[in-house]
Structure formats: structure tokens, C-alpha cells
Amino acid sequence: MGISGFEPSLLVGLDAIRQAHGSRLATLAGRRLTGFAVVRFAEDGDWFADCPVVLDFDGIQVEVCHWKLDELSIGWGTIDTAADIAGWEWFELAPQWSQRDERLEPFVGQEMREVALLEWRPAGRDLAAGTVAVEFAFAGGCLRIVNGLDENRIEVGEAQPEYVRHRLGR
């Protein structure tokens, strides 16, 4: 993707993700969201949902990126959002880091109360069954980075009832 420092470590399934990142995610509780970065195209400002969503909690940077149908990468302080995104000369649009997003902006400055992994478990047959989202709960509501079937999707508010919540750190 041309993102400086981004080397995804892709995991599949709740157990693998919880084992690799659960305790570290749990330590974010009590920290404030002090910033974020997403990739947008310079020409039209559209969000490029294939790239990681980077959240900064008082100096601890978490990088969340969904891939394919069921893979999730969580990184810790590896991405340099000040560096230009390289290697896109062939494409008609230029991706760049942005610190603006109407879904994320309301949470900046808020203390995070709890982190949970959410497992998609619908009643019927669904290709997305078993995918895992990361939810950050703040006093002002919840923010989730979910699998949008081969890309990230950002959701705010109450989670859909098909999610099974697995709280971390309790």
C-alpha cells in the first residue's frame, strides 16, 4: 500500500486476535483518544477504507486494518502518518493521511472506558459470520472498526444485535 511502517500481521478468529492483542488493547482503558489518521484521496477527499485506521491514545498508537473476508491486523506504533504514501503514481488519485473524519472527531479528547472484541454471529447464514470488530467505548458513545468485507468500516453508536461482545481486561 506504500504506507511507511505498515507490515500487517493478519489474524483470523476471535481466539487468535484476543490471544495476540487482548491484554494490550485492555491497557488502553483510561487513556484519552488524542488523535487519529485515516487515508483519503487528495483529489476528492473520499476515505480509502482499505488502509489502516490509526488511533492515538495518549501516545500509544493502535493501527486497525481489516483484510479480505475475515482477516484482521492490529499494529502498535509502526505506521508513520507524517510520511507520504508512496507508489501510487500509476493510479489517477493520490492517497494521503488525513486527521479529519466526522465519525472519529467527536471522540477526540474523550477518555476510553473499555475495549471489546465483537464477533459477528447472525442467526442465519452469512459470509461475514465469525468476523471480528474492535470496539472502543467512551463516555460519549462507542466507536467500532469493523470488517466491511475486504475493507474497514467505521461505525458509531450501539452495535448491531448480531455482535457477541467479548470485553477485554475484566
Side-chain angles (χ1 to χ4, degrees):
M1 289 188 182
I3 296 173
S4 179
F6 181 51
E7 293 185 24
S9 174
L10 300 167
L11 299 171
V12 175
L14 175 70
D15 291 338
I17 296 163
R18 183 174 25 206
Q19 182 177 16
H21 299 287
S23 60
R24 195 160 182 193
L25 285 167
T27 66
L28 297 174
R31 292 184 164 278
R32 292 194 182 284
L33 180 65
T34 52
F36 65 87
V38 296
V39 173
R40 294 189 175 278
F41 291 113
E43 293 76 8
D44 59 14
D46 284 350
W47 177 43
F48 186 33
D50 288 356
C51 293
V53 175
V54 179
L55 304 173
D56 189 294
F57 291 94
D58 289 328
I60 297 179
Q61 182 172 291
V62 182
E63 306 143 357
V64 180
C65 192
H66 290 276
W67 194 263
K68 295 187 181 176
L69 197 56
D70 58 357
E71 297 176 353
L72 173 60
S73 175
I74 298 175
W76 298 92
T78 62
I79 294 175
D80 181 1
T81 60
D84 289 337
I85 298 173
W88 283 75
E89 296 75 20
W90 59 272
F91 197 65
E92 64 269 11
L93 300 174
Q96 62 185 15
W97 287 106
S98 173
Q99 285 72 41
R100 60 177 181 80
D101 188 283
E102 65 280 352
R103 298 158 297 185
L104 299 172
E105 288 166 359
F107 296 101
V108 174
Q110 290 192 40
E111 181 179 303
M112 207 246 309
R113 293 184 172 186
E114 180 179 73
V115 183
L117 297 175
L118 304 182
E119 184 179 21
W120 183 253
R121 287 289 171 208
R125 184 179 160 101
D126 188 332
L127 282 175
T131 60
V132 178
V134 184
E135 180 180 67
F136 303 92
F138 299 87
C142 292
L143 159 67
R144 282 174 306 289
I145 305 169
V146 307
N147 189 318
L149 302 180
D150 197 28
E151 64 184 16
N152 296 298
R153 193 169 71 231
I154 298 172
E155 298 178 346
V156 296
E158 292 297 317
Q160 297 179 47
E162 291 83 3
Y163 278 116
V164 175
R165 179 172 278 104
H166 301 272
R167 290 181 167 92
L168 299 174
R170 292 185 183 248

